[in-house]
Structure formats: C-alpha cells, structure tokens
Amino acid sequence: MASTPLVEATDLGKTFAGPVPVEALRDATLTIEGGEQVAIVGPSGSGKSTLLNLLGLLTDSSAGSYRLDGLDTTGLSERQRASLRAERIGFVFQEFHLMGPRSSLENTELGLLYRRFPKRERRRRAEEALVAVGLEDRIGTKVDRLSGGERQRVAIARAIVGKPRLLLADEPTGNLDEANSMAVLDLFAALREENTAQVIVTHDPLVADHCDRRITLRYGRIESGGPR
Amino acid sequence: MRRPTVRRSGVRPLDFLRESAAELSGQPVRSLLTLVGIAIGVSSVVVSVLLVTTVRFQVSDQFDARLATQVVVAPSGSDSAPGPEPESAEAPWRQDGVDRVRAIPSVTAVASTVRSQFDQVVRPNALVDPTAIPETTAVFGVDPLAVPELDGDLRGPGWSAWHAAHAERVAIVPERAAAAHGLQGVEVGDRIFISGLDFTVVGTVGPVPRLPVLETGILVPDTTLIRHFAADATTRRLLVVTQPGAAPDVAEVLAPALLPTDPAALAVSRPVSDVTLRQAVDQNLTNLGLVLGLVVAVIGSFAVANTSLASVMRRYGEFGLRRALGASPFHIGVHVLTDATLLGFGGGMIGAVAGEAIMLGVAANRHWQPVIDVRIPLLAIAVATLVGALAGAYPARVASRIEPTEALRR
C-alpha cells in the first residue's frame, strides 16, 4: 500500500474579502512527501506567501481541501489549528522574528512553549537544537548581539526544536550573504534525514536548485511542479 | 475520511508568569515607568486611607479628652436655656453647691464664668488720646481656680479667694487679647486700665483649650466684674470637667447637687454629643478616603490600559510569531492579561510599601500615633492587581484578534 503524502492539497484557493475581492490563490493542487524538500518560486504577488500560510494553517482556505499528515484540516477550529501548528509545523522567516532582549536559548525554547513541556525539558531540547545548528557557544547570548547568519540559525533551531513534520521557510536566506545562505541550506539538508518535509519560498535560484522539486506559481496558480 | 485527532495545545500557568516576567524585564524602562505610575496612585490611596485613619484617631482622641468630658450648667433664661431672663447678675448657685459638685468623684474641675454686659475700653496706661477711637474688649468674670482648671497655662500667682471675696481690681491678661488690644509685654505686677479703672496684672495666660472664648478678653474675679462693669447674667456658665465617660452620669446629678432647692432653674447640657460628632467625622473621613481611592483606581486603570494597549501595538509581530508557534487566540489574550495583572500587582506592592513609609514619616513628623492597619496595604495590592487585570481585558481582546499572517508581515 502506498504511503500517505505528508501534504495533500487539492484545488486549494484563497480569496481576500474587500470592496474588490482579491483571489490570491486558486486551484492549487500539490502533494509533498515526508523528508522532501520543495522550493516555491514565482514573481512577487504570485501567491507564494499565501500558499505557505495555508500550508502552515495560519489562515483559512476559501476553497479546496488540505490534508496534513493524513488529517483533514477543513473546518478545524482556531484552537485545533494552533495545536497542529505547535506539534507538527515549524516556521522560518526572512526577518527571523526573534525576541531581541532574550537569549538564543530562550528564543529556541519558545518553540516548545505551547506544548506543555516542563521548563527543564524545554531547556534540554533547546540546547540540543542550538548544538545541532552550531550555536553551542552562543546559547546564553542575547540575540541582539548575534550576526544575521547566527540569528537565522537561532530561528531554525526554534523551528526544529519541536521536531516538526513540516518545515515552512519564507525567504530564509533573503537577508544573508552567500556563505551564511549555504550554511542554512546545509542545515535544511540535514533535516531530511529526520523525515521532515520542507517547503521553501525563495527568489534565490541557488536555493531552488538545492531542493528536490520546484513549484512555480504565477498569477495565483501553480504553473508547474504541483502533483508528483 | 479520518477526522483529525488533535491534541490540545496548552501553556502551563507558571509559564504565563515566566513569559510576562521576561517581557516586562525585557522592557525595563517602559515597565518601570508604568510601575511607578501605578505605585504613585496606590501609594496616594494608602497614604490617604492610613492618614485618614490616623487623623481620625487623633480627632477621636481629642474629642474623648475634651468634649466628651465636659458638661455646662447655665441658669434658665440664659442664651442657651429657655425661660425668663435671670433677675440677678449673681450666680443662682452658691459656693456650697459648687463644693458639692467638686466632691462628685468623677468631676475633675469646675469653673464659673460670666461676661460683662458691655465691652470695655482697655489701655496699658492712664493716658487718653482724645483723637484715637477707643478699642473695646470683653471682660470675663471667672472664679479663682477657673484658669488652671480649664487647662490654661497661667503664668503668675492669679488671684485668691480673698481677692474674689473683696472684689479686688486684679486681672489676668490672655496673650491673644494682649496682642489684639495693644497690651503686648504686659507682665505680672504691671497696671492696666479698664474703662479708666486701674487693675493689677496678677497673671498672663496662653491658650485656654477648654474655653477658648476666654482668650479674647480680660479676666477678672466674678465679684469684681459685677461691682464695676455689670455682668450679663445670660452668659453665666458653670463648666464641669469630668473623667472620660462620666459626663452623661454627672450631667444627671449636676442640677440637684448645685441647686437642691430649685434644680429646674438650671439647664444642664453637654456642648456636643461626642458619639454623634465622632461618628460624623468618621463618616466624612471614610468617605474622603473612598472617593480618593475611587479616583486613583480609575486613573490607574486608564494608565495600565494605555500601557497594555501600547504594548499590544508594539508587540504585534511577536503575537504573530507566537501564533505561528502554536499559540491560540486565548493564549495570546492570557499573555496580555498576565502582563497587565503583573504590572498592577507590582505597582500595588511598591505603592503599598511606599504609602506605609510616607504615612509613618508624616505621623512621626507631626508626633501622631500612627495607626498601622495591615489590611489597608493588602487591600490596596489586591485592588491594584484587580484593576490591572480589568485594564488588561480590552488590550487582551485586541491582541487575541490579531490575524497572524498580517502580524507577521509587520
């Protein structure tokens, strides 16, 4: 029997309400297997971020269906979607979204805050995650004092500390130089061994070339690379 | 199709507190300013209420010591008792009646006073300036022991029963009257002139707490006043001072003891009901404290609400991140509510301690007996915490409604 894909989206669509409704995404059908690394490319306004937000359960779809890890997410309450995000999804953002006055360890711990882990367990796992991204000597450092590459590695540590099934990254190398970009891609590559699927929105051809597959969006539609 | 089985995400209550503590300590200046604002409000309330309590105690104490131990007897027909005007300027009671009153065990002092019918011209010497408008003052006839028994600080020998019996021209000059009528510097042994008659000064006196009206005129023996100036019989009083709590009982027996043949000719009264007056003062001061507390609570709640709302706006992106990490709208609301509640609690603690310290300082400075009621600061902390929580409710609602995708774009 064939294994169930981690991500199964069928005719997914998103229309933003307003005086003039905006159809940001339509008829998006795609599947992603566990451990697969998928790049989403396309010009600005093509619906990349909207697709990422839908896959990350940060917003409701207007049409279609989305199954994550075999679970139908249609009609879930906000609380249930929050629980799924906490347990199965990790996010990495271009702007890092770290909490400046806090240390690398405290920022990484945040990735487990909403999962009822005891403080000691959160700390242990966060330290492991920071070691995994090569920041063992920056554990207690305030993130304000870290370089851009180090900050992004803290953000990745926060995203992977809960061992998510799906990692969503929005322009993760957008603010980094080439060396730091390569370091981030190496970290993502290592996650494949953990069977973590990765969806990376990027404008960078170098990043897209590193991925197993490329989905191209244009005018809110998947132009190529959707279903396998 | 399999329905999702989603484990409910959650945050341990202690972690909400830890997160709020981290957030508040991460913005030390902002948090400190808010805490100071709340603390000032809370300390104002604590100081007001504690001072009100302390002052109330002082006021009550004075009522107990003075008014509650005072009974006044006046002849019927005087200006404080109904009836026909007295026929004679002489006191209707005799000395043996006064002695019987003095013998009542709980009576500590007795003083008879009467005022001259007309104010008299008083001068420090016999020289008369025909161009000056003469100044007049009251002359009071009092018995020999009246001044010390009315708690007056008599400096000089005063007059004796012999002076009174012979209607001698001797006078006691209160400092207040001296200052008002050009008699400053008058000393024992000097002579002053009352309506042209010379009087020997046998004493000066400062405040007379039990009967301050005596400070406004010249004091002479009762008999001297009647002989030379004519007494206003309607102003005759016998002031009886009792031990604390005995005034009502003494008042009952005073008239028969003083004038057994015709007790109905005397009107016995207490200047004021100490219980009624104290209750009125208590009520007024309590109301003042409550109004102050209410005003500060309203101002404090706006301060916390404003800070919390500003914090929500500033942390927009952070709330988007937290939502991405698995926080539900409820969790976000609780974060904001916990921040505001902690601010209220912290401000309440600081304010309560500061308020206690200020109140103790004021009490020490004024030589008051401070009234330490631990319930007041504890209540202030509880109210500040509650106000913080209530003030955080609206910002918490705003924060919980933030769209994560929109927040993450900021």
XYZ file of all heavy atoms in Angstrom, chain B residues 297-387:
658
model
N -8.134 54.748 41.501
C -8.367 53.469 40.816
C -8.727 53.705 39.354
O -8.237 53.009 38.459
C -9.480 52.698 41.514
N -9.556 54.703 39.106
C -9.955 54.996 37.722
C -8.735 55.479 36.910
O -8.467 54.989 35.814
C -11.077 56.064 37.692
C -11.319 56.552 36.280
C -12.352 55.481 38.268
N -7.978 56.416 37.512
C -6.795 56.922 36.814
C -5.804 55.782 36.574
O -5.257 55.626 35.473
C -6.125 58.052 37.636
C -7.062 59.262 37.708
C -4.793 58.456 37.027
C -6.609 60.336 38.671
N -5.584 54.966 37.605
C -4.646 53.849 37.492
C -5.057 52.870 36.413
O -4.225 52.378 35.647
N -6.363 52.597 36.329
C -6.822 51.624 35.334
C -6.596 52.163 33.929
O -6.224 51.416 33.019
C -8.295 51.278 35.563
O -9.079 52.416 35.326
N -6.787 53.471 33.758
C -6.517 54.044 32.429
C -5.029 53.952 32.100
O -4.654 53.688 30.949
C -7.000 55.500 32.374
C -8.444 55.621 32.007
C -9.402 55.900 32.966
C -8.860 55.416 30.696
C -10.743 55.974 32.640
C -10.205 55.504 30.358
C -11.146 55.781 31.336
N -4.178 54.171 33.112
C -2.730 54.109 32.880
C -2.329 52.698 32.451
O -1.579 52.521 31.478
C -1.982 54.522 34.144
N -2.845 51.695 33.168
C -2.494 50.318 32.822
C -3.063 49.957 31.453
O -2.380 49.337 30.621
C -3.020 49.328 33.894
C -2.746 47.902 33.476
C -2.353 49.606 35.228
N -4.304 50.363 31.210
C -4.927 50.053 29.915
C -4.132 50.689 28.778
O -3.880 50.053 27.749
C -6.366 50.554 29.902
N -3.711 51.923 29.002
C -2.944 52.628 27.973
C -1.616 51.919 27.716
O -1.231 51.673 26.565
C -2.704 54.070 28.443
C -2.018 54.892 27.384
O -2.359 54.788 26.214
N -1.049 55.686 27.782
N -0.930 51.559 28.802
C 0.356 50.869 28.655
C 0.168 49.523 27.967
O 0.939 49.153 27.074
C 0.991 50.655 30.045
O 1.106 51.918 30.672
C 2.356 50.017 29.927
N -0.859 48.805 28.382
C -1.096 47.482 27.802
C -1.434 47.583 26.321
O -0.949 46.789 25.504
C -2.238 46.780 28.534
O -1.891 46.588 29.871
N -2.255 48.575 25.995
C -2.650 48.729 24.598
C -1.436 49.114 23.744
O -1.233 48.585 22.647
C -3.739 49.804 24.496
C -4.682 49.701 23.307
C -5.312 48.322 23.220
C -5.766 50.760 23.400
N -0.609 50.022 24.287
C 0.608 50.413 23.569
C 1.517 49.202 23.401
O 2.136 49.011 22.352
C 1.336 51.522 24.335
N 1.568 48.377 24.444
C 2.406 47.177 24.390
C 1.901 46.213 23.319
O 2.688 45.613 22.589
C 2.396 46.506 25.766
O 2.920 45.223 25.690
N 0.575 46.097 23.225
C -0.004 45.195 22.205
C 0.391 45.676 20.801
O 0.801 44.894 19.944
C -1.539 45.136 22.341
C -2.169 44.468 21.131
C -1.912 44.389 23.606
N 0.296 46.990 20.591
C 0.638 47.541 19.270
C 2.111 47.285 18.951
O 2.477 46.932 17.843
C 0.349 49.052 19.236
C -1.126 49.385 19.392
S -2.108 48.586 18.111
C -3.480 47.970 19.033
N 2.948 47.491 19.994
C 4.396 47.306 19.788
C 4.735 45.843 19.537
O 5.656 45.524 18.800
C 5.118 47.809 21.047
C 6.617 47.692 21.025
C 7.211 48.265 22.298
N 6.667 47.664 23.509
C 7.022 46.470 23.999
N 7.944 45.764 23.382
N 6.475 46.008 25.090
N 3.969 44.931 20.135
C 4.300 43.508 20.058
C 3.488 42.776 18.992
O 3.389 41.550 19.030
C 4.052 42.872 21.431
C 4.937 43.436 22.506
C 4.479 43.018 23.876
N 4.648 41.591 24.124
C 4.122 40.937 25.164
N 3.387 41.605 26.037
N 4.316 39.650 25.320
N 2.953 43.542 18.067
C 2.127 42.951 17.015
C 2.831 41.755 16.350
O 2.279 40.669 16.217
C 1.836 44.032 15.976
C 0.439 44.024 15.443
C -0.611 44.506 16.212
C 0.169 43.543 14.174
C -1.899 44.508 15.727
C -1.121 43.539 13.681
C -2.147 44.024 14.467
O -3.419 44.011 13.984
N 4.078 42.014 15.908
C 4.849 40.968 15.224
C 5.090 39.774 16.126
O 5.011 38.618 15.684
N 5.356 40.048 17.398
C 5.617 38.962 18.347
C 4.393 38.059 18.486
O 4.507 36.838 18.560
C 5.987 39.553 19.705
C 6.248 38.495 20.759
C 6.149 39.056 22.166
O 6.659 40.160 22.399
O 5.535 38.372 23.015
N 3.209 38.689 18.524
C 1.998 37.872 18.661
C 1.782 37.025 17.409
O 1.303 35.884 17.501
C 0.785 38.757 18.943
C 0.842 39.415 20.293
C 0.455 40.732 20.474
C 1.301 38.722 21.399
C 0.522 41.340 21.715
C 1.371 39.319 22.653
C 0.994 40.638 22.804
N 2.140 37.565 16.244
C 2.068 36.772 15.016
C 2.987 35.572 15.117
O 2.614 34.439 14.764
N 4.198 35.801 15.619
C 5.154 34.702 15.789
C 4.604 33.653 16.750
O 4.651 32.445 16.478
C 6.484 35.249 16.322
C 7.445 34.175 16.804
C 8.060 33.439 15.613
C 8.542 34.764 17.683
N 4.068 34.124 17.875
C 3.544 33.177 18.866
C 2.411 32.340 18.274
O 2.305 31.141 18.543
C 3.067 33.919 20.112
C 4.198 34.462 20.965
C 3.673 35.147 22.217
N 4.741 35.741 23.004
C 5.458 35.091 23.911
N 5.220 33.804 24.125
N 6.409 35.692 24.585
N 1.578 32.996 17.461
C 0.508 32.226 16.813
C 1.106 31.159 15.905
O 0.636 30.021 15.862
C -0.402 33.160 16.009
C -1.217 34.132 16.838
C -2.309 33.444 17.642
N -3.260 32.758 16.778
C -4.282 33.350 16.172
N -4.484 34.635 16.373
N -5.091 32.677 15.391
N 2.174 31.524 15.164
C 2.822 30.552 14.286
C 3.416 29.400 15.090
O 3.444 28.260 14.643
C 3.918 31.240 13.469
N 3.861 29.707 16.318
C 4.478 28.667 17.151
C 3.450 27.797 17.863
O 3.817 26.874 18.582
C 5.402 29.309 18.189
C 6.617 30.047 17.630
C 7.401 30.720 18.752
C 7.524 29.087 16.871
N 2.178 28.126 17.697
C 1.139 27.267 18.265
C 0.252 27.912 19.305
O -0.559 27.223 19.929
N 0.408 29.223 19.513
C -0.470 29.887 20.493
C -1.851 30.082 19.883
O -1.974 30.458 18.720
C 0.114 31.233 20.895
N -2.860 29.827 20.673
C -4.226 30.094 20.218
C -4.563 31.548 20.566
O -3.841 32.178 21.357
C -5.195 29.149 20.932
O -5.234 29.461 22.308
N -5.649 32.091 20.018
C -6.045 33.454 20.416
C -6.201 33.581 21.929
O -5.852 34.596 22.520
C -7.379 33.653 19.698
C -7.306 32.759 18.509
C -6.517 31.564 18.943
N -6.711 32.519 22.559
C -6.877 32.540 24.019
C -5.530 32.721 24.722
O -5.393 33.514 25.652
C -7.546 31.231 24.461
C -7.598 31.056 25.950
C -8.510 31.757 26.720
C -6.722 30.187 26.595
C -8.555 31.599 28.099
C -6.753 30.029 27.971
C -7.673 30.739 28.720
N -4.521 31.966 24.224
C -3.186 32.087 24.844
C -2.647 33.512 24.728
O -2.068 34.052 25.676
C -2.192 31.137 24.153
C -2.488 29.701 24.380
N -2.304 28.732 23.421
C -2.987 29.065 25.467
C -2.663 27.553 23.901
N -3.089 27.735 25.137
N -2.855 34.119 23.562
C -2.355 35.489 23.363
C -3.050 36.434 24.349
O -2.413 37.282 24.977
C -2.616 35.959 21.912
C -1.870 35.057 20.923
C -2.221 37.418 21.726
C -0.375 35.110 21.027
N -4.368 36.257 24.476
C -5.120 37.103 25.416
C -4.603 36.935 26.835
O -4.438 37.917 27.568
N -4.330 35.681 27.212
C -3.854 35.444 28.583
C -2.470 36.067 28.789
O -2.169 36.605 29.865
C -3.825 33.927 28.897
C -3.204 33.678 30.277
C -5.236 33.363 28.867
N -1.619 36.018 27.741
C -0.296 36.671 27.864
C -0.466 38.145 28.225
O 0.172 38.647 29.157
C 0.467 36.583 26.531
C 1.167 35.271 26.314
N 2.038 34.735 27.233
C 1.135 34.397 25.279
C 2.504 33.580 26.780
N 1.964 33.344 25.595
N -1.328 38.834 27.470
C -1.514 40.274 27.688
C -2.146 40.530 29.054
O -1.735 41.432 29.796
C -2.386 40.889 26.566
C -2.685 42.355 26.853
C -1.681 40.751 25.236
N -3.112 39.697 29.382
C -3.794 39.860 30.677
C -2.815 39.634 31.838
O -2.839 40.349 32.838
C -4.939 38.850 30.752
C -6.125 39.206 31.621
C -6.728 40.539 31.219
C -7.183 38.107 31.538
N -1.945 38.645 31.677
C -0.957 38.371 32.732
C 0.007 39.540 32.883
O 0.360 39.934 34.006
C -0.171 37.076 32.417
O -1.089 36.043 32.110
C 0.673 36.646 33.599
N 0.437 40.105 31.744
C 1.337 41.275 31.810
C 0.686 42.391 32.624
O 1.290 42.962 33.530
C 1.629 41.825 30.402
C 2.495 40.875 29.591
O 2.946 39.870 30.159
O 2.717 41.151 28.392
N -0.568 42.713 32.260
C -1.266 43.831 32.915
C -1.491 43.531 34.399
O -1.335 44.404 35.258
C -2.603 44.093 32.229
N -1.836 42.276 34.695
C -2.085 41.900 36.091
C -0.794 41.989 36.905
O -0.793 42.480 38.043
C -2.654 40.471 36.163
O -3.778 40.397 35.284
C -3.102 40.116 37.567
N 0.314 41.530 36.290
C 1.599 41.612 36.989
C 1.988 43.068 37.243
O 2.508 43.407 38.305
C 2.693 40.948 36.150
C 3.083 39.516 36.511
C 4.302 39.087 35.714
C 3.370 39.371 37.992
N 1.733 43.924 36.230
C 2.032 45.353 36.404
C 1.219 45.921 37.564
O 1.734 46.659 38.399
C 1.707 46.125 35.122
C 2.762 46.096 34.029
C 2.237 46.789 32.772
C 4.048 46.770 34.488
N -0.064 45.556 37.596
C -0.924 46.032 38.681
C -0.427 45.536 40.027
O -0.335 46.294 40.996
N -0.058 44.254 40.075
C 0.417 43.660 41.327
C 1.723 44.319 41.782
O 1.864 44.723 42.937
C 0.611 42.154 41.146
C 1.199 41.468 42.344
C 0.429 41.263 43.478
C 2.512 41.041 42.341
C 0.970 40.633 44.594
C 3.061 40.420 43.452
C 2.295 40.211 44.575
N 2.673 44.440 40.821
C 3.973 45.041 41.154
C 3.809 46.479 41.606
O 4.385 46.893 42.623
N 3.009 47.249 40.836
C 2.772 48.646 41.201
C 2.086 48.737 42.552
O 2.392 49.607 43.362
N 1.164 47.802 42.794
C 0.452 47.782 44.067
C 1.393 47.520 45.233
O 1.315 48.172 46.275
N 2.306 46.570 45.034
C 3.275 46.239 46.094
C 4.145 47.450 46.418
O 4.286 47.839 47.583
C 4.186 45.091 45.624
C 3.529 43.752 45.598
S 3.548 43.002 47.225
C 5.239 42.465 47.319
N 4.722 48.038 45.359
C 5.621 49.183 45.570
C 4.837 50.331 46.225
O 5.307 50.961 47.174
C 6.239 49.644 44.231
C 7.098 48.521 43.655
C 7.076 50.899 44.424
C 7.561 48.773 42.233
N 3.638 50.581 45.686
C 2.825 51.684 46.198
C 2.434 51.472 47.649
O 2.436 52.414 48.446
N 2.105 50.231 48.002
C 1.676 49.951 49.378
C 2.825 50.189 50.349
O 2.644 50.810 51.405
C 1.171 48.511 49.483
N 4.015 49.704 49.978
C 5.177 49.883 50.859
C 5.522 51.372 50.965
O 5.749 51.899 52.062
C 6.385 49.076 50.320
C 7.649 49.420 51.099
C 6.100 47.582 50.414
N 5.525 52.053 49.790
C 5.847 53.491 49.804
C 4.810 54.265 50.616
O 5.158 55.170 51.384
C 5.911 54.016 48.381
N 3.545 53.892 50.435
C 2.476 54.579 51.162
C 2.633 54.429 52.665
O 2.488 55.390 53.422
N 2.960 53.202 53.111
C 3.185 52.960 54.540
C 4.333 53.825 55.048
O 4.239 54.449 56.104
C 3.529 51.480 54.777
C 2.338 50.549 54.736
C 1.681 50.430 56.103
O 2.065 51.188 57.008
O 0.783 49.595 56.257
N 5.424 53.847 54.240
C 6.611 54.601 54.662
C 6.288 56.097 54.764
O 6.668 56.758 55.741
C 7.752 54.361 53.682
N 5.567 56.612 53.777
C 5.214 58.041 53.784
C 4.337 58.359 54.996
O 4.543 59.333 55.711
C 4.496 58.427 52.478
C 5.472 58.347 51.304
C 3.897 59.834 52.570
C 4.802 58.447 49.946
N 3.354 57.479 55.225
C 2.434 57.722 56.338
C 3.188 57.719 57.669
O 2.972 58.591 58.516
C 1.354 56.639 56.339
C 0.161 56.925 57.214
S 0.444 56.590 58.948
C 0.682 54.829 58.920
N 4.126 56.763 57.822
C 4.896 56.711 59.068
C 5.742 57.970 59.222
O 5.883 58.509 60.324
C 5.795 55.459 59.070
C 5.054 54.130 59.259
C 6.003 52.958 59.091
C 4.405 54.082 60.636
N 6.301 58.446 58.084
C 7.108 59.662 58.108
C 6.281 60.862 58.538
O 6.700 61.641 59.409
N 5.102 60.998 57.943
C 4.221 62.130 58.282
C 3.810 62.052 59.753
O 3.850 63.046 60.486
C 2.965 62.143 57.377
C 1.951 63.165 57.864
C 3.365 62.447 55.940
N 3.444 60.852 60.186
C 2.993 60.681 61.577
C 4.118 61.031 62.548
O 3.893 61.696 63.565
C 2.518 59.251 61.804
N 5.352 60.579 62.200
C 6.487 60.880 63.083
C 6.742 62.378 63.117
O 6.988 62.960 64.179
C 7.721 60.139 62.589
N 6.638 63.010 61.942
C 6.876 64.449 61.850
C 5.858 65.253 62.661
O 6.186 66.272 63.253
C 6.866 64.853 60.378
C 7.152 66.324 60.201
O 6.232 67.095 59.976
N 8.409 66.705 60.315
N 4.607 64.774 62.652
C 3.544 65.514 63.354
C 3.314 65.012 64.782
O 2.376 65.439 65.432
C 2.220 65.408 62.579
C 2.273 65.905 61.136
C 2.666 67.376 61.066
N 1.740 68.218 61.801
C 0.700 68.839 61.270
N 0.494 68.756 59.976
N -0.100 69.578 62.000
N 4.159 64.076 65.197
C 4.023 63.479 66.532
C 2.648 62.849 66.734
O 2.015 63.002 67.776
C 4.280 64.535 67.626
C 5.615 65.190 67.490
N 6.793 64.528 67.724
C 5.957 66.442 67.098
C 7.808 65.337 67.499
N 7.332 66.505 67.108
N 2.186 62.201 65.692
C 0.920 61.482 65.805
C 1.210 60.021 66.113
O 2.264 59.493 65.750
C 0.126 61.535 64.481
C -0.435 62.873 64.175
C -0.603 63.924 65.024
C -0.886 63.318 62.889
N -1.135 64.993 64.358
C -1.327 64.649 63.041
C -0.970 62.724 61.636
C -1.831 65.391 61.993
C -1.479 63.453 60.586
C -1.912 64.780 60.763
N 0.234 59.399 66.728
C 0.334 57.959 66.940
C -0.119 57.287 65.639
O -1.286 57.378 65.286
C -0.587 57.552 68.103
C -0.698 56.067 68.336
C 0.560 55.497 68.951
O 1.193 56.118 69.800
N 0.968 54.326 68.487
N 0.816 56.650 64.895
C 0.381 56.057 63.619
C -0.525 54.845 63.854
O -0.313 54.084 64.788
C 1.690 55.627 62.957
C 2.653 55.479 64.067
C 2.234 56.417 65.160
N -1.536 54.730 63.041
C -2.424 53.577 63.126
C -2.029 52.622 61.996
O -2.188 52.936 60.828
C -3.896 53.995 62.972
C -4.800 52.772 62.995
C -4.271 54.949 64.092
N -1.431 51.502 62.358
C -0.970 50.534 61.358
C -2.061 49.489 61.174
O -2.320 48.689 62.065
C 0.333 49.833 61.815
C 1.384 50.875 62.185
C 0.832 48.883 60.745
C 1.955 51.629 61.040
N -2.689 49.528 60.034
C -3.713 48.538 59.713
C -3.246 47.794 58.473
O -3.314 48.311 57.359
C -5.052 49.252 59.455
C -6.194 48.251 59.298
O -5.894 47.055 59.112
O -7.360 48.667 59.367
N -2.726 46.571 58.664
C -2.136 45.841 57.533
C -3.172 45.506 56.468
O -2.817 45.227 55.320
C -1.448 44.531 57.987
C -0.212 44.824 58.778
C -2.410 43.655 58.774
N -4.437 45.564 56.852
C -5.462 45.235 55.850
C -5.487 46.260 54.729
O -5.804 45.937 53.584
C -6.841 45.167 56.514
C -7.021 43.965 57.426
C -8.322 44.055 58.170
N -8.421 45.308 58.915
C -9.504 45.678 59.583
N -10.558 44.915 59.582
N -9.530 46.821 60.247
N -5.126 47.503 55.041
C -5.221 48.567 54.025
C -4.211 48.348 52.891
O -4.591 48.314 51.721
C -5.081 49.955 54.684
C -6.329 50.205 55.552
C -4.922 51.046 53.641
C -6.214 51.375 56.482
N -2.889 48.175 53.199
C -1.963 47.908 52.089
C -2.281 46.605 51.357
O -2.144 46.530 50.127
C -0.585 47.864 52.756
C -0.809 47.873 54.214
C -2.166 48.413 54.464
N -2.707 45.579 52.118
C -3.038 44.308 51.454
C -4.223 44.502 50.498
O -4.236 44.000 49.376
C -3.358 43.224 52.491
C -2.158 42.709 53.288
C -2.607 41.660 54.303
C -1.112 42.116 52.363
N -5.205 45.264 50.987
C -6.375 45.538 50.141
C -5.965 46.365 48.921
O -6.443 46.126 47.807
C -7.426 46.285 50.963
C -8.783 46.464 50.297
C -9.464 45.114 50.112
C -9.684 47.372 51.127
N -5.055 47.314 49.134
C -4.590 48.155 48.019
C -3.904 47.303 46.964
O -4.103 47.498 45.757
C -3.637 49.230 48.535
N -3.083 46.329 47.410
C -2.394 45.444 46.453
C -3.434 44.622 45.684
O -3.355 44.486 44.460
C -1.397 44.517 47.194
C -0.268 45.348 47.793
C -0.846 43.463 46.250
C 0.618 44.576 48.758
N -4.411 44.094 46.414
C -5.448 43.283 45.770
C -6.227 44.118 44.751
O -6.474 43.668 43.620
C -6.401 42.716 46.825
N -6.579 45.342 45.143
C -7.343 46.205 44.228
C -6.493 46.574 43.013
O -6.974 46.548 41.872
C -7.837 47.467 44.966
C -8.411 48.467 43.992
C -8.895 47.098 45.991
N -5.202 46.889 43.241
C -4.318 47.257 42.119
C -4.188 46.076 41.150
O -4.190 46.257 39.922
C -2.947 47.661 42.637
N -4.096 44.865 41.696
C -3.993 43.677 40.843
C -5.277 43.505 40.030
O -5.226 43.236 38.817
C -3.749 42.424 41.714
O -2.633 42.676 42.564
C -3.459 41.212 40.862
N -6.393 43.691 40.713
C -7.689 43.556 40.027
C -7.844 44.636 38.961
O -8.293 44.353 37.833
C -8.819 43.657 41.055
C -10.222 43.463 40.508
C -10.409 42.023 40.029
C -11.272 43.792 41.562
N -7.453 45.860 39.318
C -7.543 46.961 38.354
C -6.644 46.662 37.148
O -7.032 46.881 35.997
C -7.138 48.305 39.024
C -6.877 49.378 37.987
C -8.236 48.759 39.968
